[in-house]
Amino acid sequence: MPDYSNITLDAIRTAAMPAGISAAMLRLDLLDPEISGNKWFKLKYNLAAARAAGKDTIVTFGGAYSNHIAATAAACRDAGLRAIGIIRGQEIQADSNATLRAAAANGMELRFVTREDYKSLQHASGARMEEGWKNAWIVPEGGHNSEGASGAGEILHAQPTFPYTHILCAVGTGTTLAGLINSALPHQQVLGISVLKGAAGLKDDIAALLQPGHTARWELLTDHHGGGYGKFAPAQLAAMNEFYEETRIPTDIIYTGKLIMAFNTLLKRNYFPEGSNVLLIHTGGLQGNSSLPPGTLAF
Ligand SMILES: *Cc1c(COP(=O)(O)O)cnc(C)c1O
């Protein structure tokens, strides 16, 4: 079971930061070597709800490189739950990448389905699930449900985060962002950096998970996707390497590398008023870097 005391809060100072701005990174990446950062927070109450409902199986969904799939496999192994991963893409081979190999090695049963079937299964809400899944708790892709958001609401309690004025986080489904918004304080502004091009509907998906009483201001920034999900320019690799040289903190190509790029861009645009204290959430995802050719990154 991941131990929150592994999570550190590291002060950072980079050349891109003017003197009047301070920043720190909340290192969810240190939480567990297998269960990537924010994914444990999103799974925590899903596993508890499954157990409370007497379910012995978790069924969830993801793409071939999904950090959520890898994390769910490891978390279910630890919890003694059967795990079934529905993978988008009928043509994908079970041993085609490190994410899927790790999921299978942790006991997850992988089912490869066409993109059409993937979509319809996701919307089937259990009813049309095949016989063997009757006693299953369904976790939507990316852990996007209220249990996921509740768990993500605990992220800001892992360390004292009261002093921060801005909280920045990379966004996929927005579940983590919703949890952050729900638990942030009135003096804090939460900024989500979407890694998806064309994030239509994302704002509504986030709003659907917000508690009526949330007090923080929030914004979804959609022009930092760097070409779209899984795409990145050489400049991003350079920024990730530079950030590592300056802070000794590794980032991932899909999410946190784009968070760093966005932070640098916002600094350049003087987005943060003098005196701002910025909290960057390191959501993990470092296992995704294993798909890069060796030597691409300096870490
Ligand atoms: C999955 C993931 C995210 C996105 O989380 P959402 O809750 O889906 O928005 C961000 N960062 C990393 C490293 C991830 O693996």
Side-chain angles (χ1 to χ4, degrees):
M1 179 110 147
D3 179 356
Y4 287 8
S5 68
N6 292 335
I7 298 169
T8 62
L9 183 58
D10 299 357
I12 58 176
R13 161 83 25 217
T14 66
M17 290 166 57
I21 309 284
S22 17
M25 194 163 228
L26 187 63
R27 302 286 307 278
L28 307 186
D29 58 309
L30 299 175
L31 178 61
D32 186 272
E34 285 180 297
I35 307 177
S36 162
N38 64 333
K39 298 300 185 282
W40 168 251
F41 288 90
K42 296 196 284 183
L43 283 168
K44 183 180 170 186
Y45 290 115
N46 273 293
L47 300 189
R51 265 201 227 92
K55 309 287 189 186
D56 59 14
T57 302
I58 299 289
V59 175
T60 196
F61 302 83
Y65 293 93
S66 166
N67 292 328
H68 167 70
I69 286 290
T72 303
C76 286
R77 176 205 59 200
D78 292 354
L81 291 162
R82 180 180 175 208
I84 298 173
I86 312 294
I87 310 299
R88 186 180 53 237
Q90 201 182 23
E91 72 290 354
I92 293 163
Q93 304 293 317
D95 61 353
S96 63
N97 70 57
T99 304
L100 294 179
R101 281 194 298 273
N106 283 328
M108 180 178 264
E109 297 160 42
L110 301 172
R111 310 277 169 82
F112 299 90
V113 301
T114 63
R115 278 148 181 84
E116 295 75 48
D117 285 351
Y118 184 88
K119 235 184 224 158
S120 62
L121 276 171
Q122 267 205 305
H123 295 291
S125 67
R128 277 184 44 235
M129 294 274 172
E130 76 181 48
E131 202 61 35
W133 302 351
K134 279 268 166 62
N135 203 26
W137 179 266
I138 313 294
V139 179
E141 181 182 66
H144 184 81
N145 60 10
S146 60
E147 286 83 3
S150 297
E154 296 182 355
I155 289 172
L156 294 178
H157 305 312
Q159 283 281 344
T161 54
F162 179 88
Y164 297 93
T165 56
H166 297 77
I167 297 164
L168 264 67
C169 182
V171 169
T173 64
T175 315
T176 305
L177 189 74
L180 293 170
I181 297 165
N182 284 333
S183 58
L185 298 164
H187 68 277
Q188 297 177 320
Q189 186 176 353
V190 183
L191 297 174
I193 311 299
S194 176
V195 305
L196 305 164
K197 193 175 182 169
L202 184 54
K203 211 166 172 199
D204 293 338
D205 291 347
I206 295 164
L209 293 176
L210 295 183
Q211 287 161 3
H214 74 270
T215 52
R217 287 162 299 141
W218 68 282
E219 209 178 330
L220 179 69
L221 305 181
T222 54
D223 56 352
H224 302 274
H225 54 72
Y229 184 80
K231 304 216 164 64
F232 51 87
Q236 184 186 323
L237 298 175
M240 290 165 66
N241 281 335
E242 191 176 307
F243 187 77
Y244 180 75
E245 297 305 330
E246 292 176 314
T247 64
R248 295 285 135 191
I249 300 175
T251 50
D252 81 290
I253 44 171
I254 312 283
Y255 293 102
T256 52
K258 290 182 182 175
L259 175 71
I260 295 307
M261 291 284 277
F263 180 47
N264 288 343
T265 303
L266 294 173
L267 287 168
K268 212 174 284 167
R269 291 183 194 158
N270 294 318
Y271 181 92
F272 304 105
E274 168 111 24
S276 293
N277 197 2
V278 182
L279 181 66
L280 303 170
I281 309 291
H282 196 316
T283 38
L286 298 172
Q287 64 102 12
N289 288 348
S290 61
S291 65
L292 290 171
T296 310
L297 292 167
F299 47 87

